[in-house]
Amino acid sequence: MYTDTDRCLRAAQAKDARFDGWFFIAVVTTGIYCRPSCPVVGPRPENMRFLPSAAAAQQAGFRACKRCRPDASPGSPQWNERADLVARAMRLIADGVVDRDGVPGLAARLGYSTRQIERQLLAELGAGPLALARAQRAQTARLLIETSALPMADIAFAAGFASVRAFNETVREVFALSPTELRQRARRVPGSSVPGALTLRLP
């Protein structure tokens, strides 16, 4: 869908949440990417670029918007329904196959060569399996940072990063905030002080 510029532009101007996850809006003047439903005042059409995935936006050097949090919807809804190679690859990447077994392991699970996998993902999603797995790790890390009291080192390894350094660098690059700053921002959200209360934060 992201190749249909007019349709994407209409969805962005309407702030239509039904298109969240189907494409992402990258703003060349700010270096930020958003969901179609982002509540901020929209940029001029000539400053918009439409991308098929959050990973493609991150790979192109754009940072996630702090208002609409486009990284929280990293996958198109159609990946859960389709049975083709790209959809199967995305489900396996979401399950952590690339983190555990690398791209060759992903290719072996799918029965294709690594070159075929990379070509198909690049053609449809604008990013290869490593970039897609990195986006998935970043989102997992953000959820753990904001919703748990785990030490940062534990979060880094739980999210699938090979080192704390890689974790810190990725979080800074993707969110333009350090892990500590992300946690501090999350704690500013008022919660309930009632004993036994459960606070849910929905993106």
Side-chain angles (χ1 to χ4, degrees):
M1 175 184 173
Y2 73 100
T3 55
D4 189 342
T5 304
D6 292 337
R7 192 175 170 200
C8 289
L9 187 57
R10 288 196 304 273
Q13 290 171 336
K15 309 283 186 190
D16 195 334
R18 292 175 299 175
F19 291 92
D20 287 357
W22 291 88
F23 70 92
F24 295 81
I25 302 164
V27 185
V28 296
T29 50
T30 61
I32 289 171
Y33 74 98
C34 300
R35 302 171 185 247
S37 64
C38 185
V40 302
V41 176
R44 294 181 175 180
E46 60 267 25
N47 294 329
M48 293 183 187
R49 300 290 180 273
F50 301 112
L51 298 167
S53 65
Q58 292 169 17
Q59 189 168 288
F62 294 94
R63 300 183 312 275
C65 173
K66 294 183 178 77
R67 285 287 300 278
C68 69
R69 297 175 52 131
D71 55 290
S73 60
S76 168
Q78 63 179 324
W79 295 338
N80 294 326
E81 301 167 2
R82 286 171 21 184
D84 61 11
L85 174 61
V86 171
R88 287 160 50 215
M90 284 306 304
R91 288 194 288 271
L92 289 172
I93 290 170
D95 286 342
V97 169
V98 171
D99 297 332
R100 293 190 301 271
D101 305 325
V103 179
L106 174 68
R109 291 278 293 271
L110 293 168
Y112 288 82
S113 70
T114 55
R115 179 179 285 183
Q116 286 173 307
I117 299 291
E118 289 179 356
R119 188 166 53 238
Q120 290 276 349
L121 290 173
L122 277 170
E124 184 144 350
L125 303 174
L130 290 176
L132 292 162
R134 179 177 178 261
Q136 184 71 37
R137 282 195 300 273
Q139 168 59 7
T140 303
R142 181 174 194 162
L143 286 172
L144 291 172
I145 289 167
E146 293 183 341
T147 62
S148 77
L150 287 170
M152 294 301 177
D154 291 349
I155 289 174
F157 296 116
F161 288 93
S163 68
V164 175
R165 181 179 178 180
F167 161 73
N168 287 327
E169 288 175 354
T170 299
V171 169
R172 274 188 186 279
E173 189 177 330
V174 172
F175 306 116
L177 292 168
S178 69
T180 303
E181 289 168 335
L182 273 178
R183 181 164 278 173
Q184 288 170 347
R185 280 173 59 94
R187 284 180 178 163
R188 286 190 209 126
V189 179
S192 174
S193 58
V194 178
L198 178 65
T199 303
L200 299 177
R201 294 180 64 251
L202 302 177

